[in-house]
Amino acid sequence: NAGVTQTPKFRVLKTGQSMTLLCAQDMNHEYMYWYRQDPGMGLRLIHYSVGEGTTAKGEVPDGYNVSRLKKQNFLLGLESAAPSQTSVYFCASSPHRGRKEKLFFGSGTQLSVL
Amino acid sequence: DQQVKQNSPSLSVQEGRISILNCDYTNSMFDYFLWYKKYPAEGPTFLISISSIKDKNEDGRFTVFLNKSAKHLSLHIVPSQPGDSAVYFCAASPPNAGGTSYGKLTFGQGTILTVHP
C-alpha cells in the first residue's frame, strides 16, 4: 500500500534552473497539497487542489506553479529556482469525506538550490 | 506573524515518565487542532486531534487538552517510550463550513522529543 509517493527524494539545482516535483497518491483522495518545511518555520502551504483540474494558492505560492491533470497526481514546478527555495517539500492528500485536516503525507523531497 | 507557536524546540524525558508538549495559537477563528508526529526521513503522520467544542481527547497513551480562553493546547504522552522520540507538530484549521477550509493547516515550528531508556 504505497499511499503518497514523492519523486525525486533529493535534488540539487543551480540558481535559475527549473524542475518539477511529482506527487502520486493511490488512495483516490480528492484533496492534495504541497507544503514546504524550513528550520524554525514549521510546514507552510504552497498550493493545494480540491479536485482534478483545480488548483489554488496557499500561504507561500510565489515562485511555484502546480498542475493537477489527473486525480492521482499533483505536480509542483519551479520555473527559475532561487536559493530561498532550498527546503524540504512535502506532498499530502486527504479524502473528500470526513475531516479533511487529517492529511496523509509523502516522505518528502530535499531540494538544495546553489 | 506565526499564528501557531511551539515555544520549546526540544524536550528530553525519561522512559516511563510523562511527556508534555505545548502549543499556543493567536487566531481565535481556529476551531480544529491536530498533532502530527514526524520521524527522520519520513513525512508527518496524524496522531490525534481535538475540536474546539471539546477540552480533552484521549487515544491510548496520548491525550490532547485544549484551553480556548488561553488559546493553548498540549499533548500528554503517558507513559513515554523510546519509540515516541520524534518531532511533534501541532496544527490548526479554520472553520470547515461548507468544506471551505479544504484541509488547509497552519503548523507550529515543531518540538523534538527525545525519550531516554
Side-chain angles (χ1 to χ4, degrees):
Chain A
N1 197 5
V4 179
T5 303
Q6 291 182 233
T7 53
K9 294 191 181 301
F10 303 94
R11 186 73 186 266
V12 178
L13 290 179
K14 294 182 179 178
T15 297
Q17 287 185 317
S18 64
M19 78 162 294
T20 300
L21 281 68
L22 172 64
C23 177
Q25 53 96 3
D26 62 1
M27 297 173 284
N28 200 35
H29 285 173
E30 289 290 336
Y31 298 86
M32 297 188 74
Y33 314 83
W34 277 106
Y35 283 88
R36 60 177 287 175
Q37 183 193 3
D38 302 294
M41 300 285 292
L43 284 81
R44 292 180 293 167
L45 182 64
I46 306 171
H47 285 280
Y48 65 100
S49 168
V50 300
E52 181 178 319
T54 74
T55 63
K57 294 180 180 180
E59 181 185 354
V60 289
D62 294 341
Y64 306 95
N65 56 76
V66 288
S67 64
R68 183 111 180 258
L69 299 180
K70 294 183 178 181
K71 184 178 181 179
Q72 64 267 35
N73 295 337
F74 195 29
L75 278 62
L76 178 70
L78 286 74
E79 291 186 346
S80 179
S84 61
Q85 294 177 304
T86 293
S87 187
V88 180
Y89 292 85
F90 289 101
C91 176
S93 68
S94 67
H96 176 70
R97 298 188 182 279
R99 293 301 310 212
K100 301 173 183 58
E101 298 87 349
K102 295 180 181 178
L103 307 183
F104 293 77
F105 283 88
S107 58
T109 296
Q110 175 73 60
L111 175 66
S112 295
V113 182
L114 306 178
Chain B
D1 181 30
Q2 194 100 23
Q3 296 188 67
V4 178
K5 294 183 179 180
Q6 294 175 253
N7 292 316
S8 296
S10 63
L11 175 67
S12 183
V13 172
Q14 203 68 28
E15 181 179 5
R17 306 294 291 268
I18 184 172
S19 296
I20 301 176
L21 296 95
N22 294 305
C23 180
D24 298 294
Y25 62 96
T26 58
N27 188 344
S28 59
M29 295 299 292
F30 289 142
D31 79 337
Y32 193 70
F33 303 89
L34 307 93
W35 286 92
Y36 282 83
K37 177 179 179 180
K38 183 184 178 304
Y39 292 117
E42 295 183 11
T45 56
F46 168 75
L47 184 61
I48 192 169
S49 62
I50 187 167
S51 167
S52 60
I53 62 173
K54 296 185 176 181
D55 56 15
K56 178 182 174 181
N57 188 28
E58 285 182 83
D59 185 2
R61 296 185 296 113
F62 303 91
T63 303
V64 56
F65 295 91
L66 175 62
N67 183 332
K68 286 180 63 179
S69 61
K71 295 190 180 68
H72 177 84
L73 66 156
S74 61
L75 174 68
H76 292 210
I77 306 174
V78 183
S80 301
Q81 300 174 354
D84 296 329
S85 297
V87 179
Y88 289 79
F89 292 97
C90 69
S93 175
N96 195 32
T100 55
S101 74
Y102 298 128
K104 294 181 290 181
L105 297 177
T106 300
F107 283 85
Q109 307 98 308
T111 296
I112 301 171
L113 172 66
T114 304
V115 180
H116 299 282

